[in-house]
Amino acid sequence: MAATPVEGGIYSSGKQGNRRFRRRVSHAAAAALAIVLMIGTALAANGHAADAAQGSPTPTPVVTAAPEGSEPLTQTDLVWFTGDVARPNGMTWLGDLIYVICEGDKTIYKMYGTSGETDTYIYGILDAYTIYAEEESGGNVLLWVPDYKAGKLLLVTVGGVETIASALAGPWGLVPLGSTYFLVSDSLSGTVELVSRTGEVETFVDGLARPTGLEYDGSLMYVANSGSAERAIEWYELAAVRGDEPHPGDVLVRGLDNVMGLRIGPDGKLYFAYDEGGLGLIGRVDPAACQANGGCDADQIERVVVSELDAPLAGLAFSPDGRLFFHERYGDRLYWAEVIEE
């Protein structure tokens, strides 16, 4: 795949002839990221899958699971789990707590995973599709929120809301890259941005088609293109930031409409929400198998959940005991499903 150097970056032609551009990050950022990426593989096991392993498993009723290769779960298999959140959007688990963005009253709510009891956490978020939660050694909870309507990356604590970066058009997805950086998909600018925890912003990939969901497994970045069925999910090799020729990205999944949230499950599979005939579905693939195959077509993915909810489904988040939580965007009911067979 030919790459032509240009000032500040490299243009590359993908397999579908799409032009994509990746700027080289600054030398200082590259040096720091080299350290991050050297330990990325080791950290992968402690990424989102580790987040799903935090805390004690919550007791759950016996429900139907979705073993691999079986028929997908349907609406009747979903368990309705709801709290007092009228218009939920982004959602994440930390320990036995669920943090949920409410677009209706611009508030983050804290829900108890065992009961659904809901408390107000903090006010001041316009709307966000993603939350990343972490706990400091002293027990303080940090919520990193890409506020789509405000065009900002925010740091939320019990003490208030702090703007970390404001040079964003429409931030959507967010994943940590080590302890120094975040990758942030910007749906309105068609980019993935590299954002430091102190607010420096540099474009890592552009030429995307309304990028939404974002994931990182320690070496590869996965990004959903909600504006292109033929590039529904792409993968990028992040080793490029060490000064190597950048990998221009390849298609992981093609043939799906309006792919939104991405989430790597405790089983190592990539889960994603998408639209089929106006209804919200959740599918999954083995990323390594799709890469080896040159990408997976729509008939090669595994349909895990076929709901009767309007697309898009939002808030994909795995609980500590491996259940997948989600909801109809801005719908007042939260659901969970046993998508992983023990």
Side-chain angles (χ1 to χ4, degrees), residues 249-340:
D250 279 317
V251 172
L252 186 80
V253 177
R254 63 178 68 86
L256 300 181
D257 292 326
N258 205 24
V259 177
M260 290 288 178
L262 303 182
R263 187 65 64 193
I264 295 175
D267 57 356
K269 302 292 180 65
L270 182 66
Y271 290 76
F272 43 88
Y274 65 101
D275 183 330
E276 187 173 287
L279 296 178
L281 275 67
I282 297 173
R284 69 181 168 201
V285 295
D286 179 341
C290 289
Q291 291 161 25
N293 192 46
C296 287
D297 295 323
D299 60 358
Q300 295 173 307
I301 72 165
E302 185 178 0
R303 299 158 91 219
V304 179
V305 175
V306 178
S307 79
E308 297 174 8
L309 306 172
D310 289 340
L313 299 180
L316 272 65
F318 279 97
S319 67
D321 53 11
R323 293 172 291 154
L324 181 59
F325 281 66
F326 55 90
H327 56 82
E328 183 179 270
R329 189 173 72 189
Y330 304 145
D332 61 358
R333 291 190 174 192
L334 277 61
Y335 297 89
W336 61 263
E338 290 276 12
V339 298
I340 300 173

Side-chain angles (χ1 to χ4, degrees), residues 5 9 22 33 56 98 159 175 215 239 290 300 325-326 333:
R22 174 176 297 166
L33 281 171
S56 302
I98 309 169
V175 290
E215 263 289 18
C290 289
Q300 295 173 307
F325 281 66
F326 55 90
R333 291 190 174 192

Side-chain angles (χ1 to χ4, degrees), residues 180-227:
T180 307
Y181 294 93
F182 289 100
L183 295 168
V184 180
S185 59
D186 194 311
S187 188
L188 296 183
S189 66
T191 61
V192 171
E193 304 292 337
L194 184 68
V195 184
S196 75
R197 292 183 181 229
T198 54
E200 292 82 8
V201 179
E202 298 185 65
T203 298
F204 186 63
V205 176
D206 73 3
L208 300 173
R210 293 205 313 272
T212 49
L214 197 63
E215 263 289 18
Y216 175 58
D217 67 4
S219 60
L220 301 178
M221 176 184 75
Y222 304 97
V223 58
N225 283 299
S226 65

